Amino acid sequence: MADKKGGVSAASRERWEELVDAINAARTAYYQHERPTISDKEYDTLYRELEELERAHPELASGESPTQTVGGQRSEMFEPVQHLVRLYSLDNAFDEEELAAWFDRIQRSLGLIPRLLCEVKIDGLAVDLVYRDGVLVSVATRGDGVTGEDITYNAQFIEAIPERLTAKKPPALLEVRGEVFLSTANFNAVNDEQMAAGSTPFANPRNAASGTIRQRMDKRVEELAAARTASGTRAEARVERLEREYALAVGRLSALGFTAHGVGAREGIDVASQSEVYSLLDTMGIPVSSRMAVHDSVEGVREYVAYYSEHRHDVEHEIDGVVIKVDDFALQSELGETSRAPRWAIAYKYPPEVVRTRLLDIAVNVGRTGRVTPFAVMDPVLVAGSTVSMATLHNQYEVERKGVLIGDMVFLRKAGDVIPEVIGPVVEARTGDERPFVMPTTCPECGTKLKPEKEGDKDIRCPNAVSCPAQLRERLFHVASRGALDIEGLGYKAAVALLDCGVVQNMGDLFLINAESLLTCPFFTREAGKGEEGPQLTENAKTMLANLELAKVKPLWRMLVALSIRHVGPTAAQALAREFGSIEAIASADLDRLAEVEGVGQVIAEAVVEWFDQQWHREIIDKWQRGGVRLVDEVPDEGTLESQTLAGVTLVITGSIPGYTRDAASAAATARGAKVAGSVSKKTSALVAGESSGSKLDKAESLGVPIIPAQSFDVLLEQGLDAVLKG
Ligand SMILES: [Zn+2]
């Protein structure tokens, strides 16, 4: 086999092949099986011999040689690497106006709006890959754009970065730019590990990706190899520990994703646009984003930006914005670069969702079902467009899991309209003055000993349901909430006043309130004005009385929600109301009968039976009935369960609708004959817009589609579209 070729002796070629085989085998053992077969010293000796042989016979140094592939420069971890072509950073636009200004600049320079490529901006770490003859020879961090750090050694553990391009005739040179990142699922898993180990969780996936890629994997391998050759009683334990750490590090690296977002230096390929580059990279096995889109108009780009603003969290990895690029390379060159950034691209940034703030205290809240919930009290901080000073911590185990101490600096996340969440502590910022949270053992409001409902429950409760002031207050307040009977005038302070003044003993008395009883409570009265005698009811008190009247005839399911029966939310309440039609029928149904109702099931059925078993609960029902509350639904027309008030109507529902989950709202509309669509178009009859409606609202406005506020949703269901539009 060893033919003499170009002056290389058969013996040299044979030795070269031996060396290549031995080194490649050792590397496979290192990287893929995580078990070195030879010592580092032996490896280095072989490697140096190979290098010398290739220096003497450069024609031997083919693509097969380890010197030509990844991992060749093992000792150069984090050494500076000059990028072949500079990586620019991008200018940012933080709002629509700044984006419009960029469109204007492009139009002024080119005299037209060119084809624009949009892609999501991955919250990761920018890297630069160099392929020569289709083989990955170097991976570096972005650095300052001119010089980065060598991470070739670590990059080979990243499965998403191919070591070879899948091309019959690969280009002589290809510099690929892209983002190394963690998926949201992997990011959460990494942070769980961090917290389990008592370390600071990563604030965002970018930091996590950076931390992961910046480990000294080469040192780990060296350490492990040294430990393996050592002897003694503790050597074995050390090897075991190092192996475990190594496996964890390899696991983390291999979990990193990669998506290309550009090319730098290239030889042997001919492409005219950014989108063409992506297609080409795709055929060569380099991951590109499936979310990329090319638009011919400013409107198309704006829709793309709005879509991902609303669907930011539907993407499998974090995004912090959208990048817009002029697609055509010739036009890119025409626009050129400033000293910092290309004029042909811009990053539209969404507001940050993770901030740091001080955890001032952890307090506990007693809920309407007695559940005792710790919550974080923080220095108020602006995050995702709103000021946050409190966040639930769910239960004591969650506090322990997050490892937060009172006084800690913490990372706080608020994603869109999702409730704020404490991620974890900044361990490095501790001063030693922090103290752990201690879960109370007695109710802070009534002193009753707290206990879990069932053994093994994570939640603990105040069992004093009948007279715990916190529970009485929370339940009363809940009756008036928008998801239940929506009683204007009965806010939190009014609920407190009603109980404090003894106007009500519990929510059973709510519908027995009248002007006379309210006059005994200063919260509801004002001093007499001219021509009046004695204290008068405030406007708020009058509003409350009027709204209590209105509440008496609300649908049965809302009454069920208002009663604070465990596990009975709007969906279950609607199922029960539909099936039984009256509170009496529900109270007299047995467990099996309740459990077989679709949307109810065993757990809810048990909670319902348990609730009606309590004599004092029955008294609440009696009092409500005496107060004139209708606890029966009108019997629907025979034949159809729901009258088809919305036949022929196409609705789009967005934002939160009080009293409904998104699914429940869709189901309620569909049951009345409506077609519910996912996006607004000219065919949309109306948009039902709840709180935090996003781009759909803008779309509806621009198309002239009528917009129905969420509060009118019940009227829409009951009386149809015309009633709402005319009203
Ligand atoms: Zn209590």
Side-chain angles (χ1 to χ4, degrees):
M1 59 173 183
D3 287 343
K4 203 162 174 175
K5 233 193 221 172
V8 182
S9 72
S12 295
R13 177 163 286 278
E14 204 168 324
R15 182 59 188 155
W16 180 83
E17 280 172 359
E18 277 171 16
L19 287 167
V20 167
D21 286 349
I23 292 169
N24 281 340
R27 287 173 45 174
T28 305
Y30 259 139
Y31 305 138
Q32 286 162 25
H33 309 304
E34 300 162 23
R35 284 197 183 271
T37 45
I38 56 174
S39 76
D40 267 20
K41 200 158 169 242
E42 287 172 283
Y43 180 95
D44 287 342
T45 309
L46 291 176
Y47 196 86
R48 260 196 303 277
E49 189 188 340
L50 180 68
E51 280 183 320
E52 271 160 35
L53 193 60
E54 288 180 354
R55 248 196 301 280
H57 306 285
E59 58 270 57
L60 283 175
S62 75
E64 261 177 273
S65 170
T67 60
Q68 302 298 301
T69 59
V70 185
Q73 311 101 327
R74 293 168 2 118
S75 57
E76 294 178 7
M77 278 274 277
F78 305 129
E79 290 294 304
V81 177
Q82 194 91 11
H83 300 308
L84 300 178
V85 170
R86 181 179 164 179
L87 279 93
Y88 281 97
S89 51
L90 297 181
D91 279 335
N92 294 319
F94 291 97
D95 56 35
E96 297 268 339
E97 248 173 72
E98 289 178 10
L99 185 60
W102 183 74
F103 289 139
D104 283 350
R105 282 199 298 277
I106 297 287
Q107 185 151 27
R108 266 203 312 277
S109 302
L110 300 177
L112 58 97
I113 287 290
R115 278 159 60 87
L116 295 166
L117 180 137
C118 303
E119 58 199 8
V120 293
K121 190 167 183 304
I122 302 174
D123 191 18
L125 186 75
V127 297
D128 185 88
L129 322 176
V130 176
Y131 288 88
R132 289 190 188 274
D133 296 320
V135 177
L136 181 64
V137 294
S138 154
V139 182
T141 61
R142 181 185 175 285
D144 63 4
V146 176
T147 309
E149 289 175 327
D150 192 334
I151 51 163
T152 313
Y153 187 89
N154 283 356
Q156 61 207 304
F157 298 97
I158 304 173
E159 283 158 19
I161 297 180
E163 291 198 19
R164 272 164 200 280
L165 300 177
T166 52
K168 280 219 180 80
K169 228 180 139 288
L173 171 66
L174 183 61
E175 192 179 24
V176 179
R177 278 77 192 268
E179 208 77 2
V180 163
F181 63 93
L182 276 168
S183 68
T184 306
N186 284 336
F187 171 64
N188 291 337
V190 165
N191 263 358
D192 284 347
E193 281 171 10
Q194 287 287 111
M195 285 188 281
S199 314
T200 304
F202 294 107
N204 52 48
R206 182 181 60 249
N207 291 2
S210 172
T212 302
I213 215 157
R214 298 183 58 83
Q215 315 174 66
R216 288 302 301 256
M217 288 299 280
D218 54 340
K219 293 279 180 228
R220 283 189 195 282
V221 171
E222 275 171 29
E223 251 186 323
L224 189 56
R228 283 197 177 117
T229 57
S231 55
T233 47
R234 293 169 64 189
E236 209 170 303
R238 182 169 152 77
V239 168
E240 246 174 60
R241 179 176 62 78
L242 290 173
E243 276 178 350
R244 215 169 36 242
E245 287 173 7
Y246 177 78
L248 180 74
V250 169
R252 283 198 182 177
L253 278 166
S254 63
L256 288 168
F258 174 79
T259 297
H261 53 51
V263 291
R266 51 191 185 267
E267 282 167 26
I269 57 164
D270 187 21
V271 277
S273 71
Q274 192 81 23
S275 49
E276 242 179 79
V277 162
Y278 289 156
S279 309
L280 184 72
L281 292 179
D282 190 30
T283 64
M284 295 195 292
I286 303 261
V288 294
S289 175
S290 59
R291 299 174 185 279
M292 183 269 287
V294 178
H295 287 286
D296 289 321
S297 70
V298 167
E299 284 69 39
V301 173
R302 284 216 178 95
E303 269 177 39
Y304 186 93
V305 168
Y307 179 85
Y308 280 104
S309 175
E310 192 175 335
H311 294 272
R312 187 171 172 179
H313 299 285
D314 300 344
V315 181
E316 59 286 349
H317 51 72
E318 290 275 321
I319 61 173
D320 55 3
V322 162
V323 176
I324 304 140
K325 294 169 178 163
V326 170
D327 192 36
D328 188 285
F329 281 161
L331 295 179
Q332 284 189 5
S333 316
E334 201 176 325
L335 289 161
E337 289 90 18
T338 67
S339 59
R340 285 181 319 111
R343 292 194 186 88
W344 45 264
I346 195 154
Y348 186 94
K349 297 288 276 281
Y350 298 135
E353 298 188 321
V354 176
V355 295
R356 278 165 60 134
T357 187
R358 179 80 60 194
L359 178 64
L360 302 173
D361 197 8
I362 296 176
V364 296
N365 170 59
V366 182
R368 63 194 165 97
T369 58
R371 190 155 78 105
V372 178
T373 317
F375 65 96
V377 181
M378 293 162 293
D379 255 346
V381 63
L382 188 70
V383 55
S386 58
T387 300
V388 173
S389 61
M390 285 191 274
T392 181
L393 290 164
H394 303 289
N395 56 52
Q396 67 189 101
Y397 303 99
E398 193 63 8
V399 178
E400 280 163 25
R401 193 183 73 82
K402 289 183 190 290
V404 285
L405 302 177
I406 297 166
D408 265 337
M409 284 302 291
V410 292
F411 290 120
L412 174 74
R413 155 196 288 270
K414 185 175 183 303
D417 51 4
V418 176
I419 58 168
E421 179 204 6
V422 172
I423 301 176
V426 184
V427 177
E428 296 78 13
R430 284 189 177 149
T431 62
D433 292 337
E434 299 79 12
R435 59 194 165 88
F437 164 71
V438 181
M439 190 73 175
T441 53
T442 58
C443 177
E445 300 246 5
C446 71
T448 308
K449 196 168 184 307
L450 301 176
K451 57 176 194 188
E453 169 135 285
K454 288 194 292 289
E455 215 170 305
D457 274 3
K458 282 189 173 174
D459 293 330
I460 58 168
R461 292 172 189 275
C462 167
N464 180 16
V466 181
S467 62
C468 174
Q471 295 183 50
L472 290 174
R473 187 174 67 229
E474 295 292 332
R475 284 198 298 267
L476 192 56
F477 177 59
H478 172 73
V479 173
S481 66
R482 288 209 290 169
L485 297 183
D486 194 10
I487 302 167
E488 207 188 321
L490 179 47
Y492 200 75
K493 284 180 185 162
V496 171
L498 287 173
L499 286 160
D500 282 355
C501 294
V503 176
V504 303
Q505 299 304 314
N506 62 36
M507 68 184 191
D509 304 321
L510 191 60
F511 293 97
L512 302 171
I513 295 174
N514 53 32
E516 208 177 312
S517 62
L518 285 185
L519 283 170
T520 64
C521 187
F523 180 83
F524 298 103
T525 61
R526 57 170 176 80
E527 280 175 27
K530 258 186 198 163
E532 288 174 339
E533 245 178 77
Q536 302 289 315
L537 286 184
T538 60
E539 285 310 307
N540 183 67
K542 289 179 193 162
T543 303
M544 184 176 78
L545 284 174
N547 275 275
L548 279 169
E549 284 307 310
L550 293 176
K552 290 176 183 175
V553 294
K554 293 253 162 112
L556 177 60
W557 73 264
R558 286 184 172 273
M559 302 292 174
L560 292 170
V561 171
L563 288 169
S564 286
I565 303 167
R566 286 274 297 282
H567 308 303
V568 178
T571 310
Q574 282 166 8
L576 288 166
R578 206 179 301 131
E579 182 74 16
F580 295 100
S582 76
I583 201 94
E584 260 102 22
I586 296 168
S588 54
D590 66 16
L591 186 63
D592 293 344
R593 176 80 183 88
L594 289 164
E596 72 187 20
V597 176
E598 205 184 322
V600 177
Q602 192 66 25
V603 174
I604 296 174
E606 278 171 20
V608 171
V609 168
E610 220 170 277
W611 195 87
F612 283 101
D613 272 350
Q614 302 275 329
Q615 183 52 36
W616 68 283
H617 285 152
R618 298 272 191 160
E619 280 165 17
I620 291 171
I621 303 283
D622 287 348
K623 284 184 179 174
W624 278 23
Q625 281 171 333
R626 256 191 288 144
V629 178
R630 191 184 72 179
L631 291 159
V632 181
D633 272 347
E634 311 257 308
V635 182
D637 296 343
E638 264 182 50
T640 59
L641 193 58
E642 306 287 359
S643 52
Q644 300 295 292
T645 47
L646 296 175
V649 172
T650 300
L651 293 177
V652 173
I653 302 174
T654 184
S656 57
I657 312 295
Y660 295 88
T661 61
R662 186 70 68 84
D663 286 346
S666 296
T670 310
R672 285 160 179 86
K675 181 170 176 276
V676 177
S679 61
V680 177
S681 72
K682 280 177 187 153
K683 289 179 193 154
T684 310
S685 316
L687 174 77
V688 179
E691 222 170 276
S692 3
S693 301
S695 57
K696 285 176 187 163
L697 197 56
D698 300 338
K699 182 90 186 278
E701 268 165 7
S702 70
L703 291 176
V705 171
I707 294 159
I708 297 172
Q711 302 89 278
S712 304
F713 186 60
D714 284 336
V715 182
L716 175 72
L717 293 179
E718 277 149 39
Q719 300 175 30
L721 188 58
D722 288 347
V724 179
L725 296 182
K726 276 173 198 153

